[in-house]
Amino acid sequence: MRLEHIMSPIQENLNILQQRLMTIAEGTGNETVLEAVTYFFGKPGKFLRPALLMFSYGAACEGGCGGDQEVEVDGQTRPEILLSQAVEMIHSASLIHDDVIDRDEYRRGLETLNRRYGNKSAVLLGDVLFTFAFDLLSEYFPKAYARVLTTTITQMCASELIQAKGCETKADYLQIITGKTAIFMSACCRLGAMLAGASPTQCEVFAGIGMDFGMAFQIVDDMDDQDPNGLRFTGLDEAASYMKRAMAAVDTLSPSVYKESLRQLGLFVLPT
């Protein structure tokens, strides 16, 4: 199934998200920041993390949750779009920093910011996206939302430090991909459920879906890239085991188009 079809229930939201990302630097008064941010977001990625957040939000709302009453938005933009914007800016900042660390020169068929502007400017531009994200969070959302993301970023950085020291065992590998990828996808699902007003128990269910989805996603990605550590320590059978657990948790959700979208997204990542 094509990704465009899977995203169709939230496509309008994703279009608005892309428009907002393209204009986030307009108020900075800095031409370099405006040019670089517009260039970076000019060719969008798959928006998997915003999709996980929006699908989780929709599924939790369809399950009877009434929304987080402490969230106050301007009435013009839906809160799930604003929260997805913060998530995508944090994800993008991490990609920009990763490109500097890994000395990558191309992403999505375009020059990376470090190749185009230099390492120092790229690091600073990634920092700018972090500030944009947390400024948005502080304006519209209770502290608990930022706390989820700061905890996530800490774990992401810790996993990069483990990877920098060297991946010697399967335990190292699993810890690295948990921090690099799965913990962020888990946070996206958790945030979507929180925004819907889900109970702590329900939020944990959604967080677990994101965690297992993220583990499967990263293993599949490592297999596709012929990553030596991935090939050494794991394989598609283990990815399938994680995805099976994620889909079993999805099965417990109330029927909705968003629940079905989560299922289809799992099949997109790891076809049966």
Side-chain angles (χ1 to χ4, degrees), residues 77-120:
T77 305
R78 291 186 286 275
E80 67 271 29
I81 298 175
L82 292 172
L83 190 53
S84 295
Q85 181 180 338
V87 161
E88 188 64 17
M89 288 191 290
I90 290 170
H91 173 57
S92 298
S94 72
L95 294 181
I96 293 167
H97 288 172
D98 281 349
D99 287 340
V100 173
I101 293 169
D102 298 337
R103 300 178 182 176
D104 288 334
E105 297 188 345
Y106 293 91
R107 179 176 291 280
R108 302 168 188 161
L110 298 176
E111 286 184 318
T112 55
L113 293 187
N114 48 293
R115 176 180 171 88
R116 190 176 180 90
Y117 298 101
N119 287 339
K120 182 177 180 179

Side-chain angles (χ1 to χ4, degrees), residues 2 93 138 145 173 187 189 191:
R2 294 177 61 85
S138 66
Y145 291 80
Y173 172 76
C189 292
L191 289 168

Side-chain angles (χ1 to χ4, degrees), residues 145-267:
Y145 291 80
R147 194 170 297 120
V148 168
L149 287 167
T150 54
T151 300
T152 298
I153 293 167
T154 299
Q155 292 173 296
M156 290 169 66
C157 293
S159 72
E160 290 290 346
L161 290 169
I162 294 169
Q163 186 169 18
K165 290 175 62 178
C167 182
E168 302 294 336
T169 66
K170 182 175 181 177
D172 288 341
Y173 172 76
L174 293 177
Q175 190 172 5
I176 289 167
I177 68 170
T178 297
K180 276 177 53 176
T181 303
I183 199 73
F184 200 174
M185 291 187 170
S186 176
C188 290
C189 292
R190 180 188 296 278
L191 289 168
M194 288 170 58
L195 186 62
S199 69
T201 299
Q202 291 170 315
C203 288
E204 288 302 323
V205 170
F206 280 97
I209 291 170
M211 181 68 76
D212 288 327
F213 181 95
M215 294 295 285
F217 174 86
Q218 190 57 55
I219 292 171
V220 170
D221 193 57
D222 285 346
M223 295 299 103
D224 288 344
D225 291 344
Q226 295 291 290
D227 177 82
N229 292 321
L231 294 172
R232 179 183 177 191
F233 294 120
T234 190
L236 291 180
D237 286 347
E238 189 157 7
S241 178
Y242 281 112
M243 191 62 77
K244 181 179 179 180
R245 190 162 62 187
M247 293 302 102
V250 169
D251 284 342
T252 68
L253 305 178
S254 299
S256 71
V257 64
Y258 304 105
K259 170 184 175 178
E260 184 58 27
S261 295
L262 284 170
R263 176 180 298 285
Q264 291 174 356
L265 199 58
L267 291 174

